[in-house]
Amino acid sequence: MKQLNKDRYYKFSKYLEENFGTKVYKITLDAAFSCPNRDGTISDKGCIFCDESGSFSNLHSSLLPIKEQVQSAIKNLPSRYHAKRFIAYFQAYTNTYAPVERLKEVYDEAFSDDRVIGITIGTRPDCVDEEKIRLISGYKNPWIEFGLQTIHDKTLKLINRGHDYKCFLDAYNLCKKYNIKVCAHVILGLPDETKEDMLETAHELARIKIDGVKFHVLTVLKKSPLYEMYSKKPFKLLSEDEYCDILCDFLEILPPYTTVQRTAGTGLLTELFEPKWVKNKFETQNKIDRFLRERNSYQGIKFKS
Ligand code: SF4
């Protein structure tokens, strides 16, 4: 089995460099889409961990046309990056939640600059259909990011996702039919989930040979329904060591070719209630590296193909 060199897991930046021969940067775009789990279509409460701003997003002004957002995002990248190639990243809310004609207009605009060589679309698995997936498959280097969080229906219900695991699997298979790469968001430390539950999610994602994973730890944001739930009846949140330990176990189970697109992030710090340790992203990333080194382990060491 391929052992990863100095990186003990397969970073997305490395995948991009291997595939495009140069550094490629994501530029975050906001098409001002909404979310059916917030606008009352599925629910008006949202996922319990999500606050009003759409969870984990780092928004551009939604007032600017996409074309201008592309130019401004490219211009604002620090010059030390020497960035020449970009991926248009629609991150906030549900970026397939509109008629296909509207989606086409938005995605076309993202490619208004020749330096944009790919597209990543963040969405919900219940907001895609064959027509939308076919449209997306026609763009250069398409990826779709689905908020999965866990494969366990009991937890999906508890966190008010509004869809089950089968819905994700159907959407995933549709993407595979059209050769679209899929990245799944996973949250570690969801209420009532044991380490074994979380690692079952790892085994299942390994089984379907997922193309990419973004890891999050469950955080309690002040404006989220989880805050109310936690304030009334606090439950155990993961410590940094527990998170890193489970994440290392997860990486060992994933295939060595699955790209790891996020291991830690700061999110919306102003709204953060607990756990406070997530504020130090680099410390968490270093700890994950250290844990893998100490275990003399790497991504895929336990993957059974
Ligand atoms: S996390 Fe995503 S799907 Fe859930 S409520 Fe927030 S924007 Fe909607």
Side-chain angles (χ1 to χ4, degrees), residues 35-38 46-47 49-51 54-55 93-94 124 149 161:
C35 167
N37 208 20
R38 284 203 159 277
C47 307
F49 52 82
C50 177
D51 82 347
S55 206
Y93 292 102
T94 305
R124 294 172 53 89
Q149 323 311 354
R161 276 296 298 174

